[in-house]
Amino acid sequence: MQTKSPIIPLEVRRGRARRGTRGRSFTRLIRFPFALALLSLAFGAAAPAAGPPMPLVARDVHVLGTKVGRMTSEQARRHVKAAFARPVRFRLGNETWSARPSELGASANIDAAVTRALRARPGKTLPLEVGIWRVRLRKYVDGLDHKYSYPAEDAKLVGLSADLQPAISESRPGRSVDTESMARGIVSSLRAGVRPVIPLQLTTIQPRVATSDFGSIIVIRRGSNELNLYSGTQLVESFRVATGWPEYPTPLGEWSIVSMQRDPWWYPPKASEWAKGLKPVPPGPGNPLGTRWMGLSAGGVGIHGTPDSASIGYSASHGCIRMLISDATWLFDHVSVGTPAFVVSA
């Protein structure tokens, strides 16, 4: 019994390949992947591992105070962008706050700065082009002014105290934000390499009327026929006067001087029964108003001199406040239109 020869795989029997076309084609198919693998290995060993190296910024180059030396363009861009985005800080006393550059109307040309940095020599310090939108910056500083400014308070006459002396409120200085200085400081900070804290720049506003120099105030005591002149709360001078008869009382209340005349004419009041038939009197001796007239906001009533010195100290007028002619002349020189005049019953 003849034993059959074992079947040997074709790839082993290289020396015994059949001459038939089918055998040769199959052998080529088997060998082709192997050849491809060898070719791939050969070309892979010869190909470069990566593309050309990225250009770097020269050593010790700075943009906006930020070191970008030995960085790629993308690394430098990130660093400069982060440096510019730092907030601007402000302080007033113990209060601090901050604002982003965009809130202040600022923008930066970072790409241009990085391009210059890539071309710069070692150790070069480069600026950053910062643009400012003035409308937004003005809006921000005006907001600071609105929040932190307040007006000065003038001293004001609030009435009379219990002892019938003038009561005056205290004056208080105001303040306003110096918006021009603040705008300059903000722009400087945005364009610099550092972000120092910016103190709020304030301007003090002084009151127009201080408590110490309030001015003249008249207090007329109708019951005791006395006129007191004050400068603020300080008594300057006292005078004996004549006030109105009980039938024509001097009106109580807070009034003010509204007119002042030297050597006035006297005109009989049209609405008064007692003046019917009387004629105007020109300036000169015997004029019922003397030589000075200080009309009050109480209609038809005023402070004036009188040739009838015997009436001083009594209720003897038709509502006006009479003074000796010399006293009325002195008072005229120490008051003005607008001077307050209180008439009290005491």
Side-chain angles (χ1 to χ4, degrees):
M1 185 174 175
Q2 196 173 9
T3 308
K4 293 182 179 180
S5 299
I7 298 173
I8 300 173
L10 183 60
E11 60 272 20
V12 176
R13 292 191 300 153
R14 289 175 184 161
R16 300 181 184 180
R18 297 176 184 177
R19 293 183 180 181
T21 304
R22 184 179 176 184
R24 286 197 300 272
S25 299
F26 188 69
T27 303
R28 291 194 195 101
L29 287 174
I30 294 300
R31 290 176 179 173
F32 187 65
F34 182 68
L36 281 177
L38 289 175
L39 280 172
S40 296
L41 232 94
F43 278 106
M54 295 291 290
L56 299 179
V57 178
R59 66 180 182 278
D60 296 327
V61 172
H62 292 76
V63 175
L64 195 68
T66 301
K67 185 176 181 180
V68 295
R70 314 307 298 169
M71 292 184 185
T72 66
S73 61
E74 188 57 35
Q75 290 170 333
R77 186 177 290 105
R78 286 198 302 268
H79 277 71
V80 175
K81 183 177 181 180
F84 176 71
R86 288 174 299 174
V88 176
R89 297 171 296 161
F90 302 91
R91 182 185 71 245
L92 176 61
N94 295 325
E95 182 182 359
T96 60
W97 67 96
S98 62
R100 298 186 306 275
S102 58
E103 294 179 77
L104 303 171
S107 59
N109 193 345
I110 295 173
D111 289 341
V114 172
T115 299
R116 287 195 299 271
L118 288 169
R119 299 170 182 170
R121 295 189 301 273
K124 189 73 173 176
T125 298
L126 302 170
L128 177 66
E129 294 177 3
V130 177
I132 304 295
W133 186 18
R134 296 286 175 176
V135 173
R136 181 165 291 180
L137 177 61
R138 173 57 58 183
K139 182 178 179 181
Y140 186 83
V141 296
D142 285 349
L144 295 178
D145 185 43
H146 179 75
K147 182 176 181 179
Y148 293 103
S149 298
Y150 52 80
E153 292 185 9
D154 293 338
K156 294 180 181 179
L157 179 62
V158 295
L160 298 179
S161 62
D163 55 359
L164 301 180
Q165 293 185 359
I168 300 173
S169 66
E170 291 290 332
S171 60
R172 191 186 75 161
R175 70 183 187 189
S176 65
V177 174
D178 187 342
T179 55
E180 295 302 322
S181 293
M182 290 303 299
R184 287 194 297 269
I186 290 170
V187 171
S188 177
S189 176
L190 290 168
R191 290 176 173 167
V194 293
R195 290 281 193 268
V197 177
I198 301 176
L200 192 65
Q201 300 296 313
L202 298 172
T203 300
T204 300
I205 303 173
Q206 296 297 337
R208 292 171 297 177
V209 182
T211 307
S212 58
D213 58 359
F214 186 80
S216 299
I217 302 169
I218 295 170
V219 178
I220 300 164
R221 294 174 177 252
R222 190 176 71 178
S224 55
N225 291 304
E226 182 179 84
L227 184 151
N228 295 325
L229 178 67
Y230 291 86
S231 177
T233 58
Q234 299 299 314
L235 179 64
V236 175
E237 195 62 75
S238 292
F239 303 95
R240 295 290 290 165
V241 297
T243 55
W245 288 339
E247 296 85 353
Y248 304 101
T250 301
L252 302 176
E254 180 181 352
W255 316 105
S256 63
I257 294 176
V258 294
S259 66
M260 299 180 67
Q261 298 178 43
R262 296 174 182 268
D263 301 317
W265 278 70
W266 178 81
Y267 295 94
K270 296 179 180 179
S272 299
E273 290 291 329
W274 63 269
K276 283 185 177 180
L278 299 178
K279 295 182 179 180
V281 178
N287 186 300
L289 303 181
T291 60
R292 300 290 186 272
W293 165 262
M294 293 156 273
L296 299 181
S297 53
V301 176
I303 304 168
H304 62 85
T306 179
D308 184 11
S309 58
S311 65
I312 300 299
Y314 298 94
S315 298
S317 75
H318 290 90
C320 287
I321 299 94
R322 296 179 181 177
M323 303 182 73
L324 294 175
I325 290 178
S326 58
D327 291 344
T329 300
W330 186 94
L331 182 66
F332 189 93
D333 293 336
H334 289 80
V335 296
S336 60
V337 171
T339 295
F342 292 87
V343 179
V344 298
S345 59

